[in-house]
């Protein structure tokens, strides 16, 4: 935990937070400022936009610890703000919202445009708001509302502010931070340094930061599944993006997993040690890997237990997956999202495994496309979110 001191809505606050805590989670969970919404949690939709040192910023991909000494304004801090009050009235008048989920972020971004642009036309407003996605209303009313506020202020001879009132430029949160941006404060938890060899000789035990439990069933007998789990090359062939880099031994395997997230490609290379217990049809795999390019590192542990079903004709595979991930890809650390991703990955693995054991080609992907899986997950999450909104179920976010 790191103690962070910053200003939020003109109030000095000091709280401790995990190095990986996002600013969005920080203001929502520690300060109860739930007007900052979370949509994609990937810096895409803009629902989480806040002002950071006067600059609109995505709080879902901004680490709270990077905001030491910064001045944060959430939508609640704009209650008395004159421009935001004009925008709220214009949004109401122009029917610029329905569910309102995108509206806090939309207002924060729109306020920045109103302050900076003296005579924005529709195109400039659309470009300026292109980082804020609305999934139910559309943009016609939003653009009309913003344009009407700009025109009204121009009619009242209110001059624009070229810098939008911001006090500093640069990486968000760096304006008044006490630590240098060249001295990152995010310290990996006892992971192997990125410079360590790709396949470390020692694979230590560790306490995972996140543990997920998953279960799938296979229409094959437990003994056959257990034997399959001993065939490391075949198992690797069923895992999306995984390849072996050395001949596997019964107790140790060296390999690589390729991951792609949009333009980001990572290749985690490392090793795992394997323990199996035929008496209990269970096993444990502990691995460690690093991606040299992104300086991301991971330690992972998979425990599996095979449970006979249908009088031994089928098998339930119970998995407990624990991991600690640091570096660029650690932004996938939000437990709900990771759980969804893990569910999808394991479903692919189970399908490949079943095809392999049935003698059909597994169709393994050479690269794990997190983005395509994350897009599906995001679509499902938005569908669930809007389902709650339209059916009136679930609490206010
Ligand atoms: S929740 Fe931050 S950009 Fe979507
Ligand atoms: S009003 Fe924009 S997402 Fe519903």
């Amino acid at each position: 935990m790191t103690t962070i001191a910053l200003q939020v809505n003109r109030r000095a606050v000091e709280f401790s937070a995990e190095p990986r805590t996002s600013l969005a989670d920080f203001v929502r969970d520690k300060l109860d400022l739930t007007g900052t919404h979370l949509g994609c949690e990937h810096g895409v939709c803009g629902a989480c936009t806040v002002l950071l040192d006067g600059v609109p910023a995505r709080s879902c991909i901004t680490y709270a610890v990077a905001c030491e000494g910064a001045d944060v304004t959430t939508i609640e801090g704009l209650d008395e703000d004159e421009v935001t009050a004009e925008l709220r009235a214009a949004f109401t008048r122009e029917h610029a919202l329905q569910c309102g989920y995108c509206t806090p972020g939309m207002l924060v971004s729109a306020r920045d445009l109103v302050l900076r642009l003296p005579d924005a036309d529709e195109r400039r407003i659309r470009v300026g708001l292109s980082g804020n996605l609305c999934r139910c209303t559309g943009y016609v009313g939003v653009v009309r509302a913003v344009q009407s506020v700009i025109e009204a202020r121009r009619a009242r001879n209110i001059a624009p502010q070229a810098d939008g009132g911001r006090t500093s430029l640069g990486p968000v949160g760096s304006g008044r931070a006490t630590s240098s941006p060249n001295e990152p404060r995010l310290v990996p938890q006892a992971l192997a340094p990125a410079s360590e060899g790709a396949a470390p000789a020692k694979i230590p035990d560790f306490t995972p930061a996140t543990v997920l439990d998953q279960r799938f069933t296979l229409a094959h007998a437990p003994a056959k599944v257990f034997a399959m789990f001993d065939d490391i090359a075949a198992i690797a062939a069923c895992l999306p993006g995984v390849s072996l880099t050395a001949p596997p031994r019964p107790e140790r395997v060296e390999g690589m997993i390729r991951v792609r997230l949009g333009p980001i490609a990572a290749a985690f290379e490392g090793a795992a040690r394997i323990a199996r217990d035929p008496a209990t049809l269970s096993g444990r795999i502990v691995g460690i890997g690093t991606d040299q390019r992104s300086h991301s590192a991971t330690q992972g542990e998979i425990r599996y237990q095979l449970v006979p079903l249908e009088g031994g004709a089928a098998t339930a595979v119970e998995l407990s997956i624990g991991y600690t991930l640091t570096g660029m890809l650690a932004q996938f650390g939000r437990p709900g999202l990771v759980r969804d991703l893990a569910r999808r990955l394991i479903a692919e693995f189970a399908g490949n495994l079943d095809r392999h054991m049935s003698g059909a080609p597994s169709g393994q992907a050479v690269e794990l496309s997190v983005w395509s899986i994350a897009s599906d997950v995001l679509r499902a999450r938005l569908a669930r979110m809007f389902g709650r909104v339209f059916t009136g179920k679930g609490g206010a976010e």
Side-chain angles (χ1 to χ4, degrees), residues 24 37-49 57-61 101 131 378:
H37 288 176
L38 283 164
C40 65
E41 300 181 56
H42 286 73
V44 176
C45 74
C48 64
T49 307
R58 315 282 202 202
S59 60
C60 71
I61 54 169
Y101 201 84
L378 177 59

Side-chain angles (χ1 to χ4, degrees), residues 52-55 70-71 163 165-177:
L52 197 41
D53 293 336
V55 185
D71 190 357
D163 59 3
R166 56 196 59 166
T167 53
S168 59
L169 289 173
V172 287
S174 68
R176 290 177 235 160

Side-chain angles (χ1 to χ4, degrees), residues 93-140:
R93 189 174 62 243
E94 301 293 346
H95 307 293
L97 71 151
Q98 287 182 66
C99 76
Y101 201 84
C102 67
T103 308
M106 198 71 90
L107 285 171
V108 172
S109 298
R111 177 183 177 278
D112 187 59
L113 292 184
V114 169
L115 283 174
R116 287 189 296 111
L117 305 179
D119 52 6
D121 59 11
E122 179 185 335
R123 191 183 156 279
R124 282 194 80 184
I125 294 170
R126 282 186 180 272
V127 170
L129 289 178
S130 58
N132 290 79
L133 305 183
C134 174
R135 295 301 176 121
C136 68
T137 305
Y139 304 95
V140 173

Side-chain angles (χ1 to χ4, degrees), residues 38 71 88 119 141 213 231 236 242 249 303 338 374:
L38 283 164
D71 190 357
R88 280 201 303 267
D119 52 6
D213 292 323
D231 185 346
V242 169
R249 289 179 273 147
R303 292 174 185 269
V338 170

